[in-house]
Amino acid sequence: MTLKAKLVSLISETPLEISEQQVDLLIQYVDLLVKWNKAYNLTSVRDPEEMLVKHILDSLMVGPQLHGKSFIDVGTGPGLPGIPLAILYPEYSFVLLDSLGKRITFLRQVVFQLKLTNVKPVLSRVEEYQPEIPFDGVLSRAFSSLNDMVSWCQHLIATETGRFFALKGQYPLEEIAALPDNIKLVIGSEIQVPHLVGERHLIELKKI
């Protein structure tokens, strides 16, 4: 089975609606990731079929839970979940933030080759990045704790409407209990990712 056929099969096990053109872009992204990974060590996942589940589907399944139009993916690494979500939602805008130059170099190449007009890779530490307009949502699967995420990223979203979307494995009960007083849990959703071993949760938080 080709990589494309495998991805189409995986997507058919989800409620997602993805066009053939979007599937092609996702496969091009995986091809670039495999190629650049050899020199740049962008991800510990080496097998392209494994990437389809652990990177592509894992990112896409967050999509239906998001609301807003402008997002920043903090500690994006090789563009996860930002690139798959930007392909799924061309009407949304995504800033992909990372402090490592080689990752941003890779992401600029991805944006160029895939002609993604809704993605802006930015090389910066999160605490030094000041957006002109607050984002609707902060996305991340990079932070070790929810407390770290909200303390580092509070300046990126508006108080009334902005949301933190944290991608976690097991439900982080203790981390939620340890959140500061000005941060409230909106919802914690279990995400079903076909063929992924282990739990996935999306934790949505807001400032109060």
Side-chain angles (χ1 to χ4, degrees):
M1 191 186 284
T2 65
L3 212 55
K4 180 177 177 178
K6 174 84 173 170
L7 182 55
V8 169
S9 172
L10 287 166
I11 289 166
S12 73
E13 297 182 46
T14 76
L16 297 172
E17 290 183 19
I18 302 181
S19 70
E20 187 174 1
Q21 183 196 11
Q22 288 171 313
V23 169
D24 287 338
L25 287 172
L26 290 165
I27 293 299
Q28 286 180 54
Y29 170 58
V30 170
D31 287 343
L32 283 168
L33 194 48
V34 170
K35 181 181 166 186
W36 281 62
N37 204 31
K38 289 167 187 165
Y40 275 45
N41 200 25
L42 298 163
T43 166
S44 59
V45 180
R46 302 285 173 192
D47 176 44
E49 288 198 10
E50 227 180 307
M51 286 180 184
L52 294 183
V53 174
K54 290 184 175 177
H55 290 340
I56 303 302
L57 227 59
D58 190 50
S59 298
L60 293 176
M61 292 309 296
V62 173
Q65 314 290 332
L66 301 179
H67 38 92
K69 293 286 184 187
S70 65
F71 299 92
I72 180 166
D73 179 7
V74 176
T76 187
L80 299 163
I83 293 286
L85 288 171
I87 290 170
L88 183 62
Y89 300 113
E91 69 275 23
Y92 298 172
S93 66
F94 292 84
V95 167
L96 306 187
L97 192 76
D98 206 278
S99 60
L100 209 59
K102 66 180 183 179
R103 293 175 185 156
I104 298 301
T105 302
F106 167 70
L107 290 171
R108 286 177 182 146
Q109 188 64 26
V110 170
V111 168
F112 173 73
Q113 285 197 224
L114 273 53
K115 299 181 173 60
L116 299 177
T117 56
N118 61 332
V119 176
K120 181 184 178 186
V122 174
L123 177 63
S124 176
R125 294 172 66 87
V126 63
E127 66 272 25
E128 291 165 5
Y129 181 70
Q130 298 293 333
E132 290 174 28
I133 302 166
F135 293 95
D136 296 329
V138 173
L139 293 163
S140 190
R141 62 181 203 175
F143 286 98
S144 57
S145 75
L146 295 175
N147 224 333
D148 284 350
M149 182 178 182
V150 298
S151 62
W152 290 107
C153 303
Q154 285 204 44
H155 64 291
L156 301 174
I157 59 170
T159 300
E160 295 299 317
T161 55
R163 295 288 185 269
F164 300 99
F165 297 99
L167 284 73
K168 305 293 282 186
Q170 292 180 322
Y171 191 78
L173 206 58
E174 289 180 7
E175 290 179 37
I176 290 167
L179 285 168
D181 292 341
N182 70 325
I183 302 293
K184 183 184 176 188
L185 174 70
V186 179
I187 191 168
S189 314
E190 186 169 4
I191 305 286
Q192 301 294 337
V193 183
H195 303 275
L196 185 73
V197 177
E199 294 178 44
R200 288 308 261 155
H201 288 85
L202 182 70
I203 309 300
E204 182 182 341
L205 307 168
K206 70 174 184 178
K207 294 196 286 189
I208 53 174

